[in-house]
Amino acid sequence: MKQEYDIVVIGGGPAGLAAAVAAYDSGIKDILILEREDKTGGILNQCIHNGFGLTRFKENLSGPEYAARFIDEVEKRKIEVLTQTTVLSLTKEKEITAVNAKNGVFTISAKAVILAMGCRERSRGALNIAGSRPAGIYSAGTAQKYVNIKGYLPGKNVVILGSGDIGLIMARRMTLEGAKVHAVCEIMPYSSGLKRNIAQCLDDFGIPLYLNHTITKIEGKERVTGVVVSKVDENKKPIAGMEIHFDCDTVLFSVGLIPENELTKGAGVPLSQKTKGATVYQNRETEVSGIFACGNVLQVHDLVDFVSEEAELAGGSAAKYVKEGAKPHSAVEVVNGKNINYVLPQKIDQNIEGDVKLFFRVGGTFKNCTVKVECEGKTIIERKKRIVAPGEMETLLLKFEEIKKAQGPITVSLEADE
Amino acid sequence: MNTKNLTCIECPMGCSIEVETEGDKVISVKGNTCPRGKLYAENEIVCPRRVITSTVRAKNGVMIPVKTNAPVKKSEIFEVMKKINAVHPALPVHIGDVLLKNITENIDLVATGNFEKK
């Protein structure tokens, strides 16, 4: 087995596949993709619903169809892929230790590494809900895997906590397969899922959405037998006397995604407290030279189309790094100001030419507001927005001529007009 | 005259659309940002339709993702699901393969994943 590669991509989901193809097309052919599942495509393989690719391909594709487009491109270029291979550790020196049934435990080194491990779901444990540990409690993504990959219906009477997109999609999916979804509960006053999914996954099937409600108790010993759902006040505390009881055998959690960064941490790559992903320059290089990150391991995206775009940026940058070697950075910080949850990239390197697309999420729902980009008291960009919400990622293009001029941190902030 | 509020499902923007109707005739569509939104709203009033995505179990046991190659009547969704769940293709199956012809109204059930014979 080969011990050295120009580029090793960790993760063969949408980010890893697009990054590898972009790196190859930028002139670096010696690439290895490491994937822990038995085939590439990542989470798209179980996302059998449609709505993918509208931005990128101007077509309405299912998840597996979207993945196949990139799997085909990887195969066309004969990029090496090792499936059923789990990466155990990564070092600053870009040494990767992995394990699979054929090669055992092995270590390879790379000139550049692209992190594309994706994200995982927040679990019940993160929420502190009272009750014992009966069978019938799943994360929405686990239920999705059971139904779509394994062909099992994990329950017949379902209550879903959290109105993230996967939860909404699973409400429809389980209904189609004959289950009864009694309620979707959301602790916030608004849904974190796309509006279209409220319409086509809940409203189409008459599934009620309870905003400002959460599950306060799960009943059952061997198997879930019911849940208590409580209305919450503005501080998200349950209001006594406002409980609703549902008989059910299954509870799904769709309560957010967290980038999967154990390997990143192990390599000493600094992470952002806000995104839970690496802090990066605009070319998606982390603060460890030659280690790049893209896709949901870096920031949880709303649409896979944007994952592909980011991955191509990282892939191209990694190829450039291999060809030209490490370059000194001259960076200005990008800071999240008022009403902004995070901005990515966190650092802009003035030595890298070109405009920079800023990705950011706002801290609440605002109508008629102004997003401002400022540097040293001077406004660089001012953009009116009709409506913004934390669930929808926003972008702004920062011109290189402004980047060149910047002497201090660049701040993105949001002002409510009324 | 009646007004109905819809959420467009054609793309992730999810525009809020207001439709004015007279009986089952659409008088005006407001709030859409693109022509697809207008078409969606008009269809939604007359006869709402949805593309169905699901899975079928192949003869060897693996689950194959499928979709209807055109939207089916919303009122027929569960009938169509019954027909989908009775389909058990043999491998190999490739994207676009028709697994059941004319599931309803000349609409076909097609595969959306690639599965080779092992």
Side-chain angles (χ1 to χ4, degrees), chain B residues 2 12 18 20-21 25 31-32 39 44 48 67 82 99 104:
Chain B
N2 281 317
E18 198 184 290
E20 282 183 343
T21 55
K25 258 187 82 181
N32 55 308
L39 197 65
E44 198 64 10
K67 69 177 177 190
K82 260 189 211 153
L99 301 182
T104 177

Side-chain angles (χ1 to χ4, degrees), chain A residues 65 151 173 177 196 204, chain B residues 9 50 54-55 57 67 85:
Chain A
E65 286 175 309
R173 185 73 188 109
E177 293 294 354
R196 70 193 292 243
D204 268 9
Chain B
I9 62 167
R50 300 287 183 266
S54 187
T55 51
R57 194 182 282 282
K67 69 177 177 190
N85 281 335

